[in-house]
């Protein structure tokens, strides 16, 4: 479109030269410039006094229909919501308090706000997110230790990630809260309440699909090894794993060295158990290389190395729901995360 | 014209990995502003009379507002999920053209300026084999080899020497003479 605009500008400028030579140029009135100057100066003065102007909520515009917006919100997500529940999902506690204060300030002694906030829906949504995300991760990374799964889970349900998801599906203008733009925890609460409302209106499977499509997909293009640093002592962890698998004692061996005593020195260390290579790593000295090699062997055991299979974001939710009934995975999701 | 001189370059991108899980329409609301009597809004009025309801039915994720105002030229304002707001003048535009512009706006992801794609794909995790080091793809057997090594020290594709060429020719000639006898 800007191309069009540029080309139109080119045409216009040729017209302008034509105008210059043949006809009189359309004049801008002499009062325009000083008026704009004055308006700008006054705006600047006001800003110095009161600070920068606050962002105006879209809902304060004349063309705003809250019900239509909520209807379109549901349709955008391709879900069938119960309208009342979806309405409720956008009401934050702070909004109700604010409304009550408003009524009190006018002189109403027993303020009556006929609204209920989204706390219960958000609680339900949070439960659904926890159980689904944990079992999704457990199914996707069957060999990854519990602590690692918990670390990834903590990243996924962190305020930054959930608030970003919430804002990106268009909750910003719909949220009823005391401040605008909404705080990040209000964004998060609203997203959870929307999931709770979806559970109440269309059932568990739809809610799980929503979580899979909007929350679990935030794991794409992310290095999952970043969230967990292999515990306190990766070497002990590797020794334990080798003991469990009866592979023998893991031992580091120098398998290559180049550019010794130079700036570009590199050592290559492999970890071997019973003459079988578990993994290898490199670094500027032997110690760093050994640490890297231990991490690489752990990644090979956990199946989370660089060329791991990507997450299956189209995993049927029934599979995850079924795994929730299995005691092993259910226990993992319940034990205090 | 060399477009790279004024087109901003960049990579393909999608908000919250749109399409990996579920594709959601990025256009969230449209305001159509027009005048009820002015000639420049004729096309917009025709659009509202004939096409607006169908458009709204087809795009139920978009909220449509119609805002009449006196003696001002018609305008489309499209708002997107990423907060972008696109303003478009529709002065003297026929209704068919307005429908086309609206269809285009409903497919876009924001007030998108055209960009020159540096690549036709994008990934945040460019490597699946880890960083390179001098030992990448080296045969581990070479670690225990003792040098000088006959096999490893061999010259690949050594050119034929003149002596070898002469010997080859002599051998051929001897063979052909033996056959004749």
């Amino acid at each position: 479109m800007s191309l069009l605009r540029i080309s139109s500008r080119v045409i216009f400028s040729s017209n302008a030269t034509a105008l210059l030579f043949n006809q009189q140029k359309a004049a801008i009135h002499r009062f325009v410039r000083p008026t704009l100057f004055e308006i700008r100066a006054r705006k600047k003065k006001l800003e110095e006094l009161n600070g920068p102007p606050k962002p105006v909520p879209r809902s304060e515009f004349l063309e705003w229909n809250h019900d239509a917006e909520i209807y379109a919100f549901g349709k955008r997500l391709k879900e069938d919501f119960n309208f009342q529940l979806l309405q409720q999902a956008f009401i934050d506690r702070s909004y109700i308090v604010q409304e009550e204060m408003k009524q009190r300030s006018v002189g109403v002694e027993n303020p009556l706000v006929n609204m209920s906030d989204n706390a219960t829906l958000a609680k339900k949504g949070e439960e659904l997110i926890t159980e689904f995300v944990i079992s999704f991760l457990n199914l996707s990374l069957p060999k990854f230790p519990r602590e690692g799964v918990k670390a990834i889970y903590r990243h996924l349900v962190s305020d930054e990630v959930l608030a970003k998801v919430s804002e990106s599906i268009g909750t910003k203008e719909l949220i009823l809260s005391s401040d605008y733009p909404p705080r990040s925890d209000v964004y998060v609460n609203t997203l959870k309440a929307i999931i709770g409302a979806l559970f109440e209106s269309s059932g568990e499977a739809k809610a799980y699909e929503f979580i899979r499509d909007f929350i679990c997909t935030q794991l794409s293009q992310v290095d999952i090894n970043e969230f967990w640093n292999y515990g306190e002592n990766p070497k002990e962890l590797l020794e334990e794993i080798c003991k469990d698998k009866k592979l023998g004692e893991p031992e580091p061996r120098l398998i290559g060295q180049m550019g010794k005593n130079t700036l570009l020195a590199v050592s290559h260390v492999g970890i071997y158990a019973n003459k079988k290579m578990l993994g290898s790593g490199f670094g500027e000295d032997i110690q760093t290389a050994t640490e890297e090699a231990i991490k690489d062997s752990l990644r090979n055991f956990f199946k989370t190395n660089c060329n791991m299979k990507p997450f299956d974001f189209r995993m049927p939710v029934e599979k995850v729901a079924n795994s929730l009934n299995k005691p092993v995975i259910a226990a993992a999701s319940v034990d205090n995360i | 014209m060399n477009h790279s001189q004024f087109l901003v370059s960049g990579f393909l991108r999608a908000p919250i990995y749109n399409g990996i899980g579920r594709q959601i329409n990025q256009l969230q609301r449209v305001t159509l502003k027009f005048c009820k009597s002015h000639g420049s809004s004729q096309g917009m009025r025709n659009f509202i009379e004939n096409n607006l309801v169908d458009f709204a039915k087809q795009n139920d994720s978009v909220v449509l507002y119609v805002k009449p105002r006196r003696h001002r030229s018609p305008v489309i304002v499209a708002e997107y999920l990423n907060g972008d707001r696109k303003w478009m003048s529709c002065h003297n535009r026929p209704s068919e053209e307005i429908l086309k512009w609206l269809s285009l706006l409903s497919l876009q992801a924001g007030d998108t300026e055209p960009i020159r794609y540096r690549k036709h794909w994008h990934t945040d995790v460019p490597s699946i084999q880890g960083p390179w080091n001098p030992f990448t793809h080296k045969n581990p057997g070479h670690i225990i080899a003792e040098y000088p090594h006959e096999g490893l020290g061999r010259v690949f594709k050594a050119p034929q020497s003149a002596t070898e060429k002469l010997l080859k020719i002599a051998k051929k000639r001897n063979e052909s003479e033996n056959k004749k006898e």
Side-chain angles (χ1 to χ4, degrees), chain A residues 188-229:
Chain A
V188 174
N189 242 0
T190 309
L191 181 69
K192 287 172 182 170
I194 289 165
I195 292 166
L198 184 59
F199 170 76
E200 301 282 338
S201 33
S202 325
E204 199 177 47
K206 284 279 176 190
Y208 283 158
E209 268 172 20
F210 185 96
I211 297 167
R212 183 195 64 187
D213 289 347
F214 290 105
I215 297 177
C216 292
T217 47
Q218 296 306 305
L219 278 180
S220 72
Q221 309 261 307
V222 161
D223 181 9
I224 54 164
N225 292 306
E226 270 178 13
F227 306 118
W228 183 55
N229 212 11

Coordinates of all heavy atoms in Angstrom, one line a residue, chain A residues 188-229:
Chain A
V188 N -3.1 -11.9 33.2 CA -3.0 -13.4 33.4 C -4.3 -14.0 34.0 O -4.7 -15.0 33.5 CB -1.8 -13.6 34.4 CG1 -1.7 -15.1 34.7 CG2 -0.5 -13.1 33.8
N189 N -4.8 -13.2 34.9 CA -6.1 -13.7 35.6 C -7.2 -13.8 34.6 O -8.0 -14.8 34.6 CB -6.5 -12.7 36.7 CG -6.5 -13.3 38.0 OD1 -6.2 -14.5 38.1 ND2 -6.9 -12.6 39.0
T190 N -7.3 -12.9 33.7 CA -8.3 -12.9 32.6 C -8.2 -14.1 31.7 O -9.1 -14.8 31.4 CB -8.3 -11.6 31.8 OG1 -8.3 -10.5 32.7 CG2 -9.5 -11.5 30.9
L191 N -6.9 -14.4 31.3 CA -6.7 -15.5 30.4 C -7.1 -16.8 31.1 O -7.8 -17.6 30.6 CB -5.2 -15.6 30.1 CG -4.9 -16.8 29.1 CD1 -5.5 -16.5 27.7 CD2 -3.4 -17.0 29.0
K192 N -6.8 -16.9 32.4 CA -7.2 -18.1 33.2 C -8.7 -18.2 33.3 O -9.3 -19.3 33.1 CB -6.6 -18.1 34.6 CG -5.1 -18.3 34.6 CD -4.5 -18.1 35.9 CE -2.9 -18.4 35.9 NZ -2.3 -17.9 37.1
A193 N -9.3 -17.0 33.5 CA -10.8 -17.0 33.6 C -11.5 -17.4 32.3 O -12.5 -18.1 32.3 CB -11.2 -15.6 34.1
I194 N -10.8 -17.0 31.2 CA -11.4 -17.3 29.9 C -11.4 -18.8 29.7 O -12.3 -19.5 29.2 CB -10.6 -16.6 28.8 CG1 -10.9 -15.1 28.8 CG2 -10.9 -17.2 27.4 CD1 -9.9 -14.3 28.0
I195 N -10.3 -19.4 30.1 CA -10.1 -20.9 30.1 C -11.2 -21.6 31.0 O -11.8 -22.5 30.6 CB -8.7 -21.4 30.4 CG1 -7.8 -20.9 29.3 CG2 -8.6 -22.9 30.5 CD1 -6.3 -21.0 29.6
G196 N -11.4 -21.0 32.2 CA -12.4 -21.5 33.1 C -13.8 -21.4 32.5 O -14.6 -22.3 32.5
A197 N -14.0 -20.2 31.8 CA -15.3 -20.0 31.2 C -15.6 -21.0 30.0 O -16.7 -21.5 29.8 CB -15.4 -18.6 30.7
L198 N -14.5 -21.3 29.3 CA -14.6 -22.2 28.2 C -14.9 -23.6 28.7 O -15.7 -24.4 28.1 CB -13.3 -22.2 27.4 CG -13.2 -23.1 26.1 CD1 -14.3 -22.7 25.2 CD2 -11.9 -23.0 25.5
F199 N -14.2 -24.0 29.8 CA -14.5 -25.3 30.5 C -16.0 -25.4 30.9 O -16.6 -26.4 30.6 CB -13.6 -25.4 31.7 CG -14.0 -26.6 32.5 CD1 -13.6 -27.9 32.1 CD2 -14.6 -26.5 33.7 CE1 -13.9 -29.0 32.9 CE2 -15.0 -27.6 34.5 CZ -14.6 -28.8 34.1
E200 N -16.5 -24.3 31.5 CA -17.9 -24.3 31.9 C -18.9 -24.4 30.7 O -19.9 -25.0 30.8 CB -18.2 -23.1 32.8 CG -17.4 -22.9 34.0 CD -17.8 -23.8 35.2 OE1 -19.0 -24.3 35.2 OE2 -17.0 -24.1 36.1
S201 N -18.5 -23.7 29.6 CA -19.5 -23.7 28.5 C -19.3 -24.8 27.5 O -20.3 -25.3 27.0 CB -19.4 -22.3 27.8 OG -18.2 -21.7 27.9
S202 N -18.1 -25.2 27.2 CA -18.0 -26.3 26.2 C -17.3 -27.6 26.6 O -17.1 -28.5 25.8 CB -17.2 -25.8 25.0 OG -17.4 -24.4 24.7
G203 N -16.9 -27.6 27.9 CA -16.4 -28.9 28.4 C -14.8 -28.9 28.4 O -14.1 -28.0 28.0
E204 N -14.4 -30.0 29.0 CA -12.9 -30.2 29.3 C -12.1 -30.2 28.0 O -11.0 -29.5 28.0 CB -12.7 -31.5 30.1 CG -11.5 -31.5 30.9 CD -11.4 -32.8 31.7 OE1 -11.7 -33.9 31.1 OE2 -11.1 -32.7 32.9
A205 N -12.5 -31.0 27.0 CA -11.7 -31.2 25.8 C -11.4 -29.9 25.2 O -10.3 -29.6 24.8 CB -12.4 -32.1 24.9
K206 N -12.4 -29.0 25.1 CA -12.2 -27.7 24.4 C -11.3 -26.8 25.2 O -10.4 -26.2 24.6 CB -13.6 -27.0 24.3 CG -14.5 -27.6 23.2 CD -14.0 -27.0 21.8 CE -14.9 -27.7 20.7 NZ -14.3 -27.4 19.4
A207 N -11.4 -26.9 26.5 CA -10.5 -26.1 27.3 C -9.0 -26.6 27.2 O -8.1 -25.8 27.0 CB -10.9 -26.2 28.8
Y208 N -8.9 -27.9 27.1 CA -7.5 -28.5 26.9 C -7.0 -28.1 25.6 O -5.8 -27.7 25.5 CB -7.6 -30.0 27.0 CG -7.6 -30.5 28.5 CD1 -8.1 -31.8 28.7 CD2 -7.2 -29.7 29.5 CE1 -8.2 -32.3 30.0 CE2 -7.3 -30.2 30.8 CZ -7.8 -31.5 31.0 OH -7.8 -32.0 32.3
E209 N -7.8 -28.1 24.5 CA -7.3 -27.7 23.2 C -6.9 -26.3 23.2 O -5.9 -25.9 22.6 CB -8.5 -27.9 22.2 CG -8.4 -29.3 21.5 CD -9.6 -29.5 20.6 OE1 -10.3 -28.6 20.2 OE2 -9.9 -30.7 20.4
F210 N -7.6 -25.4 23.9 CA -7.3 -24.0 24.0 C -5.9 -23.9 24.6 O -5.0 -23.1 24.1 CB -8.4 -23.3 24.8 CG -8.2 -21.8 24.9 CD1 -8.8 -21.0 24.0 CD2 -7.3 -21.2 25.8 CE1 -8.7 -19.6 24.1 CE2 -7.1 -19.8 25.9 CZ -7.8 -19.0 25.0
I211 N -5.7 -24.6 25.7 CA -4.4 -24.5 26.4 C -3.3 -25.0 25.5 O -2.2 -24.4 25.4 CB -4.4 -25.3 27.7 CG1 -5.5 -24.7 28.7 CG2 -3.1 -25.3 28.4 CD1 -5.8 -25.6 29.9
R212 N -3.5 -26.1 24.8 CA -2.5 -26.6 23.9 C -2.2 -25.6 22.8 O -1.0 -25.3 22.5 CB -3.0 -27.9 23.3 CG -2.1 -28.6 22.4 CD -2.8 -29.7 21.6 NE -3.7 -29.0 20.7 CZ -4.6 -29.7 19.9 NH1 -4.6 -31.0 20.0 NH2 -5.4 -29.1 19.1
D213 N -3.2 -25.0 22.2 CA -3.0 -24.1 21.1 C -2.4 -22.8 21.4 O -1.8 -22.2 20.6 CB -4.4 -23.9 20.3 CG -4.8 -25.1 19.6 OD1 -4.0 -26.1 19.5 OD2 -6.0 -25.2 19.2
F214 N -2.7 -22.3 22.6 CA -2.3 -20.9 22.9 C -1.2 -20.9 23.9 O -0.4 -19.9 23.9 CB -3.4 -20.0 23.4 CG -4.4 -19.7 22.3 CD1 -5.6 -20.4 22.2 CD2 -4.0 -18.8 21.3 CE1 -6.5 -20.1 21.1 CE2 -4.9 -18.6 20.2 CZ -6.1 -19.2 20.1
I215 N -1.1 -21.8 24.9 CA -0.1 -21.8 25.9 C 1.1 -22.7 25.6 O 2.3 -22.3 25.6 CB -0.7 -22.0 27.3 CG1 -1.7 -21.0 27.6 CG2 0.4 -22.1 28.3 CD1 -2.4 -21.1 28.9
C216 N 0.8 -24.0 25.2 CA 1.9 -24.9 25.0 C 2.7 -24.5 23.8 O 3.9 -24.7 23.7 CB 1.4 -26.3 24.8 SG 0.7 -27.0 26.3
T217 N 2.1 -23.8 22.8 CA 2.8 -23.4 21.6 C 3.9 -22.4 21.8 O 4.7 -22.2 21.0 CB 1.9 -22.9 20.5 OG1 1.0 -21.9 21.1 CG2 1.1 -24.0 19.8
Q218 N 3.8 -21.8 23.0 CA 4.9 -20.8 23.4 C 6.2 -21.5 23.5 O 7.2 -20.8 23.7 CB 4.5 -20.0 24.6 CG 3.2 -19.2 24.5 CD 3.3 -18.2 23.3 OE1 4.2 -17.4 23.2 NE2 2.4 -18.3 22.4
L219 N 6.2 -22.8 23.5 CA 7.5 -23.5 23.6 C 8.2 -23.7 22.3 O 9.3 -24.2 22.2 CB 7.2 -24.9 24.2 CG 7.1 -25.0 25.7 CD1 6.8 -26.5 26.1 CD2 8.3 -24.6 26.4
S220 N 7.5 -23.3 21.2 CA 8.2 -23.5 19.9 C 9.3 -22.4 19.8 O 9.2 -21.3 20.3 CB 7.2 -23.3 18.8 OG 6.8 -22.0 18.6
Q221 N 10.4 -22.8 19.1 CA 11.5 -21.9 18.9 C 12.2 -21.6 20.2 O 12.8 -20.5 20.4 CB 11.1 -20.7 18.2 CG 10.3 -20.9 17.0 CD 11.2 -20.8 15.7 OE1 11.9 -19.8 15.5 NE2 11.1 -21.8 14.9
V222 N 12.1 -22.4 21.3 CA 12.7 -22.1 22.6 C 13.6 -23.2 22.9 O 13.4 -24.4 22.6 CB 11.6 -22.0 23.6 CG1 12.1 -22.1 25.0 CG2 10.9 -20.6 23.5
D223 N 14.8 -22.9 23.5 CA 15.7 -23.9 23.9 C 15.3 -24.4 25.3 O 15.5 -23.6 26.3 CB 17.2 -23.3 23.9 CG 18.2 -24.4 24.3 OD1 17.8 -25.6 24.4 OD2 19.4 -24.0 24.6
I224 N 14.8 -25.6 25.4 CA 14.2 -26.0 26.7 C 15.3 -26.3 27.7 O 15.0 -26.4 28.9 CB 13.3 -27.2 26.5 CG1 13.9 -28.3 25.8 CG2 12.0 -26.8 25.9 CD1 13.2 -29.6 26.0
N225 N 16.5 -26.4 27.3 CA 17.6 -26.7 28.3 C 18.0 -25.4 29.0 O 18.8 -25.5 30.0 CB 18.8 -27.3 27.5 CG 18.5 -28.6 27.0 OD1 18.1 -29.5 27.7 ND2 18.7 -28.8 25.7
E226 N 17.4 -24.3 28.6 CA 17.8 -23.0 29.3 C 17.2 -22.9 30.7 O 17.7 -22.2 31.5 CB 17.3 -21.9 28.5 CG 18.3 -21.4 27.5 CD 17.7 -20.2 26.6 OE1 16.7 -19.7 27.0 OE2 18.4 -19.9 25.6
F227 N 16.1 -23.6 30.9 CA 15.3 -23.4 32.1 C 15.8 -24.2 33.3 O 15.4 -23.9 34.4 CB 13.8 -23.7 31.8 CG 13.3 -23.0 30.6 CD1 12.8 -23.7 29.5 CD2 13.3 -21.6 30.6 CE1 12.3 -23.0 28.4 CE2 12.8 -20.9 29.5 CZ 12.3 -21.6 28.4
W228 N 16.5 -25.2 33.1 CA 17.0 -26.0 34.2 C 18.5 -26.3 34.0 O 18.9 -26.7 33.0 CB 16.2 -27.4 34.2 CG 16.6 -28.2 35.3 CD1 16.5 -27.9 36.7 CD2 17.0 -29.6 35.3 NE1 16.9 -29.0 37.4 CE2 17.2 -30.0 36.6 CE3 17.2 -30.5 34.2 CZ2 17.6 -31.3 36.9 CZ3 17.6 -31.7 34.5 CH2 17.8 -32.1 35.8
N229 N 19.2 -26.0 35.1 CA 20.7 -26.1 35.0 C 21.2 -27.5 35.5 O 22.3 -27.5 36.1 CB 21.3 -25.0 35.8 CG 22.6 -24.5 35.1 OD1 22.9 -24.9 34.0 ND2 23.3 -23.7 35.8

